[in-house]
């Protein structure tokens, strides 16, 4: 069985009397350790699909199996638990808590998991070291550069040992050089720790770091291609 | 499981971010709590003063007044017809089992002179039982005895106010004072009682043996006449019984037929005082209720600020939800903020309320008493206000859609 399996996922929003279909019978399977880019113009349904994959939203039709469990019918709290344990989010706007140190930002997912204080600190420091921010644990987000903030966010996504990282335009707010560095970090995590990475982007040179490209258009997948061998 | 100490630290930090706002929100609670404490202190101070006055009257006290006259269908007030005698008093003491002690009284106003000082006061002729009935002790000298009453000796006990006016700092015991030009030897001084419930100075009086008053000072319409009889019941529970027994004895002694009205009245003073005490209690409750309204307004202030804060922090809520915060994690986080605000406000309010009541009693001269009950009440109430008014904003926050919250700018 596939690690991530979306079967005939559809999502309809009702705006008053009008029904708007954001996704129409989308099916996609992703295996453990894949590095997938999801591409497409805005309004193509890629963000809606990402929200469903990230358990932030529920599909109105179809089935979503994550690691063998059907999550499409779960309630808020069960979904929160799945997000906490299985999915690490990396956003375009970093989404760190302001006035909260890098260390505490990274510790946050472990609070909601109920990890003991000393273990929390130890693991958070290790995660910060992994993303190349050793020694910066007491900095606040406004004292860090964009690239460093995104590294803190990646450390936060890693710290609960989530098998999946969902990155929504992670380089959208960064300059080219920093973008390359961040993508390099993703490639390394994917290769070294076999973390499944799903990346939403509309920039081809960012998507080029991944090994599979899924293209959305008008609520459907129109292209799904795999690279034989690229960066490693 | 929600991590409470961590949530508390988180809440404190969030409150520190907006120091001015948090302080102003707490001010509502501070004012409410201190108002409740100060008002209850004023009320219970008044209650305590009345209780003290009641016990200064003497406990379980009944007063028998002579009856009213009826002349040509016109009924006069109680006491207009002198009908009570020392014989009645003796009979009650001997025959009524529910009665502990009896003191007949014949009193009148008189001018008292010591050398060049003079003073007008109430001279009370009574028996030695009087001191026991009123629960009164002497601050000096000795009380008069049954022998003094029997022999109608000219001895007297002075109240403190009389001593102050006639003797100043001098010790009056053993001195001679002239009451209506008759020389009396001062044998004792009555302890200080202070004001009565009606505001009379209870220390402005002189006690002399009953017979001396009857025969030498005031004269009587008939032998053995007394103005009133004071009775101490055996216990509060037996007062009604004592009242019935006294009525039976007096009706029999006064030869009153079954269809005729009593020619005397028995008053239960303790009951009267208790009514006064009760009305003060009601006043206390009323003051407390009015003060609680300001506490309520303070609570609404908390709710208002929490709602604003949740709107401002929508994105933070979204981040927390994406990372794995469950419904109750979010709720407890915001409830904790409201709770801590009201708790700190409550603590400061208690301090201010205690300080305020001290200032009130110093400046306005009102008796105040801060009870531990009112402190407990105020702290529980302010905590409850925090949770009650914090719940709706916290509930609202926990129902946010994580996607919308994350996108909120």
């Amino acid at each position: 069985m596939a690690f991530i399996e979306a079967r005939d996922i559809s999502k309809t929003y009702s705006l008053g009397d009008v029904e708007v279909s954001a996704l129409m019978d989308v099916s996609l399977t992703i295996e453990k350790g894949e590095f997938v880019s999801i591409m497409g113009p805005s309004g193509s349904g890629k963000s809606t699909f990402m929200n469903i994959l990230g358990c932030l939203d529920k599909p109105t039709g179809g089935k979503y199996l994550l690691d063998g469990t059907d999550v499409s019918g779960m309630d808020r709290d069960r979904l929160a638990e799945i997000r906490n344990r299985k999915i690490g989010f990396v956003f375009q706007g970093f989404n760190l808590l302001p006035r909260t140190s890098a260390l505490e930002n990274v510790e946050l997912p472990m609070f909601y998991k109920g990890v003991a204080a000393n273990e929390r600190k130890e693991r958070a420091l290790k995660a910060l070291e992994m993303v190349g921010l050793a020694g910066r644990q007491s900095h606040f987000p406004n004292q860090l550069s964009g690239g460093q903030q995104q590294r803190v966010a990646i450390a936060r996504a890693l710290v609960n040992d989530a098998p999946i990282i969902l990155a929504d335009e992670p380089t959208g707010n960064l300059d080219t050089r920093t973008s390359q560095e961040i993508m390099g970090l993703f490639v390394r995590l994917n290769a070294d720790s076999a973390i499944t990475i799903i990346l939403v982007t509309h920039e081809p040179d960012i998507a080029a770091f991944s090994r599979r490209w899924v293209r959305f258009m008008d609520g459907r997948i129109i292209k799904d291609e795999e690279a034989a061998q690229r960066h490693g | 499981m929600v991590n409470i100490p961590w949530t508390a630290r988180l809440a404190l930090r969030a409150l520190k971010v907006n120091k001015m706002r948090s302080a102003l929100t707490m001010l509502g609670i501070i004012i409410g709590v201190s108002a409740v404490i100060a008002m209850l202190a004023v009320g219970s101070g008044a209650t305590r003063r009345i209780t003290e006055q009641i016990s200064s009257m003497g406990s379980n006290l009944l007063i028998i007044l002579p009856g009213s006259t009826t002349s040509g269908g016109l009924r006069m007030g109680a006491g207009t017809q002198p009908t009570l005698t020392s014989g009645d008093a003796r009979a009650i003491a001997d025959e009524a089992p529910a009665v502990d002690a009896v003191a007949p009284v014949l009193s009148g106003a008189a001018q008292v002179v010591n050398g060049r000082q003079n003073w007008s006061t109430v001279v009370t002729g009574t028996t030695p039982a009087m001191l026991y009935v009123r629960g009164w002790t002497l601050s000096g000298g000795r009380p008069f005895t049954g022998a003094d009453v029997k022999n109608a000796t000219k001895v007297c006990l002075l109240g403190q106010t009389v001593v102050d006016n006639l003797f100043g700092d001098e010790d009056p015991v053993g001195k001679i004072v002239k009451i209506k030009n008759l020389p009396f030897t001062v044998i004792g001084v009555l302890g200080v009682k202070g004001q009565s419930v009606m505001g009379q100075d209870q220390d402005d009086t002189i006690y002399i043996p009953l017979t001396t008053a009857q025969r030498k000072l005031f004269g009587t319409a008939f032998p053995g006449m007394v103005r009133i009889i004071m009775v101490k019941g055996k216990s509060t529970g037996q007062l009604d019984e004592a009242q019935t027994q006294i009525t039976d004895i007096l009706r029999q002694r006064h030869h009153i037929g079954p269809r005729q009205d009593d020619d005397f009245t028995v008053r239960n003073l303790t009951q009267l005082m208790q009514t006064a005490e009760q009305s003060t209690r009601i006043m206390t409750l009323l003051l407390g209720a009015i003060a609680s309204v300001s506490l309520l307004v303070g609570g609404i202030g908390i709710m208002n600020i929490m709602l604003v804060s949740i709107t401002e922090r929508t994105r933070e809520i979204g981040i927390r939800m994406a990372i794995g915060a469950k419904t109750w994690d979010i709720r407890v986080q915001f409830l904790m903020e409201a709770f801590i605000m009201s708790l700190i406000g409550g603590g400061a309010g208690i301090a201010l309320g205690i300080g305020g009541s001290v200032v009130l009693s110093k400046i306005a001269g009102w008796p105040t008493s801060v009870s531990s009950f009112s402190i407990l009440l105020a702290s529980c109430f302010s905590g409850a206000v925090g949770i009650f008014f914090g719940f709706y904003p916290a509930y609202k926050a926990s129902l946010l859609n994580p996607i919308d919250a994350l996108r909120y700018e």
Side-chain angles (χ1 to χ4, degrees):
Chain A
M1 195 189 290
F3 185 52
I4 290 172
E5 188 174 352
R7 277 193 222 146
D8 304 323
I9 297 282
S10 58
K11 178 81 189 176
T12 330
Y13 296 101
S14 51
L15 300 168
D17 303 338
V18 194
E19 297 251 303
V20 180
S21 287
L23 289 175
M24 284 170 279
D25 300 331
V26 174
S27 295
L28 185 71
T29 54
I30 298 172
E31 296 300 331
K32 211 169 190 145
E34 275 196 271
F35 193 159
V36 187
S37 286
I38 293 182
M39 304 175 73
S42 51
S44 60
K46 64 178 195 303
S47 292
T48 309
F49 188 64
M50 275 297 277
N51 287 338
I52 289 170
L53 285 188
C55 295
L56 288 165
D57 206 352
K58 290 192 219 177
T60 44
K63 225 175 187 187
Y64 173 27
L65 299 173
L66 177 61
D67 203 3
T69 4
D70 184 2
V71 298
S72 32
M74 282 184 176
D75 64 18
R76 287 176 76 101
D77 283 354
R78 292 291 306 282
L79 288 177
E81 208 174 303
I82 298 270
R83 288 196 297 271
N84 183 246
R85 277 146 208 232
K86 302 220 156 153
I87 303 163
F89 289 95
V90 179
F91 302 96
Q92 179 177 5
F94 319 133
N95 276 344
L96 298 178
L97 293 187
R99 292 174 292 265
T100 305
S101 70
L103 182 72
E104 280 176 293
N105 263 297
V106 176
E107 279 185 282
L108 201 60
M110 292 186 282
F111 280 116
Y112 293 122
K113 197 181 180 184
V115 177
N118 45 357
E119 193 190 337
R120 233 161 35 209
K121 190 167 179 193
E122 194 183 308
R123 273 166 63 179
L125 287 173
K126 223 174 90 189
L128 281 170
E129 201 186 310
M130 255 170 97
V131 297
L133 281 182
R136 304 275 171 135
Q137 66 266 21
S138 46
H139 285 57
F140 290 98
N142 56 2
Q143 297 170 317
L144 296 169
S145 71
Q148 288 171 326
Q149 288 187 52
Q150 197 59 297
R151 283 168 195 270
V152 175
I154 293 169
R156 185 178 65 185
L158 289 171
V159 80
N160 258 358
D161 294 325
I164 305 164
I165 285 184
L166 284 182
D168 190 355
E169 309 260 14
T171 58
N173 286 5
L174 302 173
D175 62 48
T176 320
R177 213 185 56 133
T178 319
S179 297
Q180 300 285 327
E181 282 170 19
I182 293 291
M183 289 318 295
L185 182 59
F186 278 130
V187 168
R188 187 157 58 81
L189 289 171
N190 176 246
D192 296 354
S193 320
I195 294 172
T196 312
I197 296 176
I198 303 170
L199 178 76
V200 172
T201 185
H202 57 261
E203 292 173 70
D205 50 333
I206 295 300
F209 282 89
S210 66
R211 293 188 310 237
R212 181 178 169 191
W213 302 277
V214 177
R215 185 171 286 278
F216 272 77
M217 181 74 88
D218 298 329
R220 290 178 212 276
I221 294 175
I222 53 159
K223 211 192 243 176
D224 185 350
E225 53 184 351
E226 245 169 289
Q229 196 73 38
R230 295 200 54 157
H231 302 265
Chain B
M1 259 315 285
V2 179
N3 187 335
I4 295 291
W6 175 66
T7 318
R9 271 202 302 140
L10 200 71
L12 271 176
R13 193 190 300 170
L15 294 178
K16 266 193 236 155
V17 170
N18 280 309
K19 282 198 194 71
M20 187 67 178
R21 183 200 281 184
S22 308
L24 286 175
T25 311
M26 283 176 202
L27 195 61
I29 295 294
I30 292 173
I31 291 172
V33 168
S34 56
V36 168
I37 294 221
M39 289 301 111
L40 289 183
V42 166
S44 57
T47 311
R48 204 174 61 177
R49 179 177 272 188
I50 287 180
T51 315
E52 277 166 11
Q53 285 169 338
I54 290 169
S55 58
S56 82
M57 283 288 307
S59 51
N60 306 329
L61 206 58
L62 293 174
I63 292 185
I64 307 165
L65 300 165
S68 56
T69 41
T70 311
S71 59
L74 185 69
R75 298 189 67 215
M76 312 295 277
T80 46
Q81 175 93 328
T83 54
L84 298 173
T85 65
S86 8
D88 290 336
R90 258 193 312 277
I92 291 167
D94 293 343
E95 293 166 31
V99 165
D100 188 11
V102 178
V105 172
L106 179 70
S107 60
Q111 205 70 19
V112 191
V113 178
N114 171 42
R116 277 182 302 174
Q117 305 292 331
N118 75 92
W119 185 248
S120 173
T121 187
V122 179
V123 176
T124 306
T126 185
T127 59
M130 185 64 167
L131 294 180
Y132 173 67
V133 169
R134 297 279 322 264
W136 211 330
T137 52
L138 296 185
S139 62
R142 63 163 183 92
F144 53 76
T145 60
D148 288 319
V149 176
K150 200 173 168 198
N151 301 327
T153 52
K154 286 181 276 185
V155 293
C156 64
L157 303 172
L158 302 186
Q160 191 58 48
T161 306
V162 179
V163 173
D164 292 344
N165 282 288
L166 295 181
F167 290 92
D169 293 335
E170 227 180 309
D171 181 12
V173 177
K175 303 272 165 42
I176 307 284
V177 292
K178 281 186 172 169
I179 306 173
K180 280 193 168 176
N181 281 326
L182 287 175
F184 280 75
T185 309
V186 179
I187 55 168
V189 176
L190 295 164
V192 176
K193 273 248 186 200
Q195 274 187 7
S196 77
V197 185
M198 285 71 175
Q200 283 168 327
D201 180 3
Q202 299 182 85
D203 298 321
D204 189 4
T205 191
I206 296 178
Y207 278 10
I208 60 172
L210 176 66
T211 45
T212 316
Q214 286 170 331
R215 289 174 210 163
K216 296 179 177 160
L217 220 49
F218 300 121
T220 49
F222 52 89
M225 183 197 98
V226 297
R227 279 180 70 82
I228 56 171
I229 301 174
M230 289 188 149
V231 177
K232 183 181 171 69
K234 282 216 167 106
S235 70
T236 317
Q238 278 175 287
L239 277 183
D240 286 340
E241 214 175 309
Q243 205 163 339
T244 319
Q245 287 164 4
I246 291 165
T247 309
D248 289 346
I249 292 165
L250 290 184
R251 282 182 75 91
Q252 202 186 346
R253 282 181 60 88
H254 293 188
H255 308 293
I256 297 167
R259 266 185 229 130
Q260 279 178 289
D261 286 342
D262 294 345
D263 63 350
F264 57 89
T265 316
V266 184
R267 287 220 176 120
N268 185 340
L269 270 198
T270 315
Q271 218 167 45
L272 227 109
M273 301 304 120
Q274 275 165 352
T275 313
E277 197 182 359
Q278 206 168 19
S279 57
T280 328
R281 280 230 177 85
I282 290 170
M283 186 192 77
T284 310
L285 276 179
L286 207 71
L287 285 174
I290 293 169
S292 330
V293 171
S294 56
L295 194 51
L296 196 76
V297 173
I300 294 171
I302 287 192
M303 175 135 104
N304 194 11
I305 283 306
M306 290 308 296
L307 284 172
V308 170
S309 156
I310 277 159
T311 310
E312 282 177 354
R313 285 153 70 192
T314 301
R315 203 179 170 85
E316 177 196 325
I317 296 166
I319 296 170
R320 288 180 186 278
M321 283 177 165
I323 276 168
K326 293 182 190 165
T327 315
W328 274 101
D329 290 318
I330 300 290
R331 275 182 204 171
V332 169
Q333 183 189 341
F334 287 99
L335 268 181
M336 189 65 93
E337 282 180 29
F339 184 65
I340 285 180
M341 265 202 281
S342 66
L343 219 57
I344 295 175
I350 287 170
L352 192 70
I354 293 172
S357 13
V358 170
V359 169
L360 262 184
S361 65
K362 285 257 163 66
I363 291 178
W366 296 348
T368 57
S369 109
V370 180
S371 62
S372 45
F373 166 75
S374 67
I375 291 177
L376 192 75
L377 185 84
S379 25
C380 290
F381 209 60
S382 60
V385 159
I387 290 179
F388 181 79
F389 287 102
F391 192 81
Y392 174 68
Y395 175 77
K396 216 180 137 192
S398 72
L399 289 189
L400 285 173
N401 180 339
I403 301 167
D404 296 339
L406 274 170
R407 270 199 219 119
Y408 187 86
E409 293 297 333

